[in-house]
Every structure is written in structure tokens, then in C-alpha cells.
Amino acid sequence: ASALQLGARIHGCTVHFVTPSLDAGPIVIQAAVAVLPDDDPPRLAHAVRLCLWALLTFGTPMMLMLVFGAPNIVRGFYGERYFESVRYVRFLGVVTFCWSFINVGLWLAVALGSPHRSLTVGLVQAGILLVTGLVLTSQFGVMGTLAAVALAMLAGCALSLLYAHRI
């Protein structure tokens, strides 16, 4: 049920450390959104999306900095539960690095009037995820899914860099 249907006064979003269970990892950062008396679903959804964008923009670098730069502080805050997330956080570091290149390529294509190149990158990534994701996930579980996402990100990075190099 939505926050509006439940009559909630506060809604929001949370960035967690990744664990095998959905939304069960230790919390990295949270944001709250006031549910206004005359609120409607589009406005509330937009406010939550903006909060999520802000959390991911600030929370991801903060989390990566803590994990790689101050693991003892993280261990002190979160205890042994933190170690469930270590392999996923390393993966997140690689994905975050690759995504910055893909994003530059996508927006460069749009700015130069070639949005079809952005669509091509997205379709290639979706194809890789579909083909390799099904196979690798069925064989290796979560680690297979991570490998498929990594392949899709690397392909997007390569295509974006190739496009930027041709300009």
C-alpha cells in the first residue's frame, strides 16, 4: 500500500549495504519526505525520487570512502553484518566508476543530436543482461547476476568511450 493510502505523514527512502536479503543490510543513509495534506501520488513519487537521487549521489561515494578508507570505523558501526556486504561494495565501486563514463557518453550523444546512440547503448546492455544474466544467475546465483551486470556496464563503458573517441 502507498503512503497516501495508509495516511502516513512521512515517507522516504534508504540506502543500505547490500546483503542477500532485500532491504536487510545495515543502513548507510536515509532521507524523509513530508506527506502533505493535499498530496497526490505524482508529487509524492517525484519528491521520493529526488531524495533517492540525492541519497545515491551522496551516499554511494560516502559508503565507498568508508569501506575502502576506514573499514575499522564501518566495522565499529555495523559489526560483523558489514562483512556480508564487502564483496558487493567492491562490485559497486567498479560499477560506479564505469557508470560515470557511460553517463558522459549518453549525454554527449543526446547533446550532439544523436539520441539513437544512447538507445543503442541501452539496448546492448539490456541484451547482455538478458542473455548472460539468465545463464549466469541460474548457475551462480547472486554472484552470477553481479557478473552479468559487470559485463553490461563494461560494454556500455566501451561503447560510450568509442563514441566519444569518434567525435
Side-chain angles (χ1 to χ4, degrees), residues 5-159:
Q5 290 171 335
L6 294 173
R9 295 164 81 182
I10 297 175
H11 194 27
C13 50
T14 303
V15 175
H16 298 266
F17 278 106
V18 176
T19 60
S21 301
L22 180 64
D23 290 341
I27 294 170
V28 175
I29 191 170
Q30 290 181 307
V33 174
V35 179
L36 305 175
D38 59 342
D39 237 337
D40 61 2
R43 199 236 40 113
L44 186 58
H46 182 70
V48 171
R49 279 194 303 273
L50 286 173
C51 278
L52 183 59
W53 173 82
L55 288 184
L56 291 174
T57 300
F58 299 113
T60 301
M62 181 177 75
M63 182 178 60
L64 292 172
M65 179 187 69
L66 283 172
V67 168
F68 291 111
N72 290 335
I73 292 173
V74 175
R75 190 177 303 118
F77 280 129
Y78 299 115
E80 297 305 311
R81 288 186 65 202
Y82 152 73
F83 289 105
E84 296 176 44
S85 300
V86 169
R87 63 181 168 195
Y88 303 112
V89 172
R90 289 182 183 139
F91 174 76
L92 180 62
V94 172
V95 168
T96 301
F97 178 76
C98 289
W99 181 246
S100 62
F101 289 106
I102 295 169
N103 204 20
V104 167
L106 295 177
W107 285 110
L108 181 62
V110 170
L112 295 175
S114 302
H116 65 281
R117 294 197 190 270
S118 295
L119 180 62
T120 301
V121 171
L123 289 174
V124 167
Q125 287 183 299
I128 290 171
L129 278 174
L130 183 64
V131 173
T132 61
L134 290 173
V135 173
L136 293 175
T137 301
S138 66
Q139 293 291 318
F140 304 106
V142 170
M143 295 311 287
T145 303
L146 293 177
V149 170
L151 288 171
M153 292 302 273
L154 290 174
C157 188
L159 288 171

